[in-house]
Amino acid sequence: MKWKSMMAIGLVVFFTAGCWGVQDKKPVSEKRTVTEENKPEQTGGEPGKPVGGTEKPNTPQDTPPVQPGKTTDQQPNIYPENTNQTIKIHDESIVKDSPIIHIIYPQIDGMKDKTAQAKINGFLKKTADAADESQMTNEDPSAPSSFDSTYKITFQNDHIISFVYDQYLYLSGAAHGMPMKIPILVDLDNGRIVEPNELFNGSSQTKPIISKLILKQDVLHMLEVFGDFKQISSDDLEQVYLTKDGLIMFFSPYEYAPYAAGTLLYHLSFFDIQSILNTAFFKSHGIPVTQPIHSTTIYASEGYHFSVPKEWMDRLKFERADYAENQKWSSEINVYLNSGAKTLLFSFHMYEKQVWASLKPGAEVKLAEKSDTVFSYSVASIPQNDLQANEFLKNVVPEIMKSFQVDF
């Protein structure tokens, strides 16, 4: 479908523009950079909201303090002593013109164990600089090979930092490039990289529980396109990263859905998966996993997400509209009341910035703007005697819109 191709191209453009725009295009360099996009996100605050500076002190979380204790090679550091560490993160970059490479990666300062810090920083750099330059030819001179890599901090407290690398590799002559996500979890207490399987307790229910939650969130039926998804694999358990209240599991293009669907993201709240988590690990790293979450987060492949109260999930139906030449929007997701009448409640839209400027004021409510795209929503006209629909519009829609965030 045409809109899917447009979305895929749009996401690539947003990503590569973000990576290219922060670089000084010099032949070969490694330098410190300061970028707005890579400012660490404040854990426990408004999701996705950056805090000042690319160097962020390790600030304590609102969790009960743990008492100091001992650790051995066999025993994980359950009661870490890291209060004297002041962790800061700065950016480094690698820029090359031939082949075209633009990389921004994090480096950690302030760890007490400098040997461990050097090893972690070496791993962070090596993982970012992962392109095989021998494959990056100029088969098509008008579209030379390129590699872009940037990162986000998705969670940070006194004990742990969760990084996610967003990478994009294009080989000259290919039909399209390939986006990749790489999660990296740094244990500041023990000075090591945490393996994803350490987050789970090995329960036989791990895959069924996560699969059920994913299917519940797949409201736009992206996993049904290929028809291959029945249950997550063991490899999928390695495709997770931390947020302040859960894990994000991601599926790369072609894994369970077409390339045009992009990378699929699913939120697994700690509360919903606590029975399969390694709770000792989370407790020792100051992360509570028993706090109830009253909403379900939906990630749209268009590059944004929003949250819906759980009690409404079964009462709603989500549909993506097909793109048509006579429509001004480039994407539309409609939300209906899941009843016999299938009452339209509201719609999410994406507009090109130029097109947005031409719209009549008041018809759409602007939610966010990124690069040359405006994200908005419009509310349907509901008869006054439809009490359930009007209740939703009055009390639920404002909360959904407060949760709206652009992911790239």
Side-chain angles (χ1 to χ4, degrees):
M1 298 170 71
K2 184 172 181 179
W3 69 265
K4 289 187 176 179
S5 300
M6 293 178 63
M7 289 302 97
I9 294 170
L11 291 176
V12 170
V13 170
F14 288 147
F15 179 82
T16 54
C19 293
W20 283 49
V22 296
Q23 304 292 337
D24 297 326
K25 295 184 179 179
K26 298 180 180 179
V28 180
S29 66
E30 295 193 15
K31 59 177 182 175
R32 291 194 178 193
T33 59
V34 178
T35 65
E36 185 69 24
E37 180 180 357
N38 287 319
K39 290 181 181 179
E41 296 179 355
Q42 183 176 9
T43 302
E46 182 182 342
K49 183 178 180 180
V51 292
T54 54
E55 294 190 347
K56 179 177 181 291
N58 219 33
T59 53
Q61 303 299 298
D62 296 328
T63 52
V66 293
Q67 299 301 317
K70 296 181 179 180
T71 183
T72 66
D73 291 338
Q74 294 76 30
Q75 175 72 21
N77 191 1
I78 297 178
Y79 301 106
E81 298 183 51
N82 72 336
T83 53
N84 294 327
Q85 291 190 139
T86 301
I87 301 299
K88 296 181 179 179
I89 300 164
H90 71 268
D91 293 349
E92 297 283 348
S93 70
I94 301 172
V95 181
K96 298 181 181 181
D97 285 343
S98 183
I100 301 171
I101 293 177
H102 295 84
I103 297 170
I104 301 173
Y105 63 93
Q107 294 286 269
I108 297 174
D109 299 312
M111 292 180 63
K112 289 190 293 184
D113 187 336
K114 300 304 180 185
T115 301
Q117 177 177 291
K119 288 183 178 179
I120 290 171
N121 282 338
F123 181 84
L124 292 172
K125 178 181 178 181
K126 182 179 179 181
T127 306
D129 191 13
D132 182 357
E133 295 186 25
S134 66
Q135 301 296 316
M136 298 177 66
T137 63
N138 286 335
E139 181 178 322
D140 178 1
S142 66
S145 297
S146 62
F147 177 75
D148 299 276
S149 180
T150 186
Y151 77 94
K152 292 180 182 178
I153 298 173
T154 63
F155 180 85
Q156 179 180 0
N157 67 8
D158 280 341
H159 313 288
I160 206 161
I161 306 176
S162 174
F163 298 103
V164 176
Y165 285 10
D166 284 306
Q167 300 182 335
Y168 186 83
L169 174 65
Y170 173 75
L171 297 180
S172 183
H176 55 69
M178 180 59 68
M180 297 162 283
K181 281 188 181 294
I182 301 175
I184 301 175
L185 191 56
V186 176
D187 186 334
L188 298 170
D189 297 333
N190 299 299
R192 66 187 186 91
I193 303 297
V194 179
E195 296 297 327
N197 60 14
E198 297 179 55
L199 304 178
F200 303 99
N201 61 17
S203 168
S204 61
Q205 292 301 303
T206 299
K207 294 177 186 177
I209 287 175
I210 292 177
S211 300
K212 184 177 180 180
L213 289 170
I214 285 174
L215 287 170
K216 183 79 172 178
Q217 293 176 39
D218 190 38
V219 296
L220 295 169
H221 310 291
M222 300 307 298
L223 296 174
E224 295 179 5
V225 178
F226 281 173
D228 292 338
F229 184 84
K230 300 293 186 292
Q231 182 173 277
I232 64 168
S233 68
S234 298
D235 290 341
D236 292 333
L237 292 174
E238 298 182 4
Q239 298 176 174
V240 294
Y241 56 88
L242 265 65
T243 67
K244 65 183 179 67
D245 56 10
L247 304 178
I248 299 292
M249 178 168 282
F250 60 90
F251 301 143
S252 299
Y254 294 128
E255 184 175 356
Y256 295 116
Y259 177 86
T263 300
L264 303 181
L265 304 175
Y266 299 93
H267 180 253
L268 310 173
S269 76
F270 290 136
F271 183 78
D272 288 338
I273 61 171
Q274 59 183 303
S275 65
I276 60 174
L277 290 176
N278 179 358
T279 53
F281 173 88
F282 287 93
K283 181 178 180 181
S284 68
H285 290 82
I287 303 173
V289 297
T290 58
Q291 295 179 357
I293 302 295
H294 301 293
S295 61
T296 297
T297 303
I298 306 298
Y299 283 82
S301 58
E302 284 82 353
Y304 60 82
H305 70 267
F306 56 93
S307 298
V308 177
K310 286 184 176 179
E311 65 267 26
W312 279 93
M313 282 296 294
D314 291 333
R315 291 188 270 175
L316 300 177
K317 185 177 181 63
F318 300 78
E319 289 185 359
R320 184 181 277 110
D322 291 343
Y323 179 77
E325 293 291 345
N326 62 338
Q327 300 292 350
K328 291 190 174 183
W329 43 259
S330 55
S331 170
E332 178 180 67
I333 293 178
N334 296 316
V335 181
Y336 300 89
L337 198 59
N338 195 10
S339 60
K342 194 182 173 184
T343 304
L344 177 63
L345 297 169
F346 71 92
S347 304
F348 285 115
H349 292 115
M350 291 172 63
Y351 290 95
E352 293 180 7
K353 194 173 180 180
Q354 253 185 336
V355 175
W356 170 262
S358 69
L359 298 180
K360 293 180 180 179
E364 297 273 340
V365 179
K366 184 177 179 180
L367 288 167
E369 183 177 327
K370 190 76 171 182
S371 298
D372 291 325
T373 300
V374 172
F375 301 81
S376 66
Y377 78 99
S378 60
V379 175
S381 178
I382 305 294
Q384 289 187 352
N385 62 353
D386 193 335
L387 300 181
Q388 187 180 31
N390 279 288
E391 176 198 352
F392 181 86
L393 295 184
K394 179 181 178 181
N395 299 320
V396 183
V397 168
E399 295 305 312
I400 292 176
M401 299 313 157
K402 284 180 184 177
S403 71
F404 182 94
Q405 287 187 43
V406 179
D407 299 312
F408 50 80

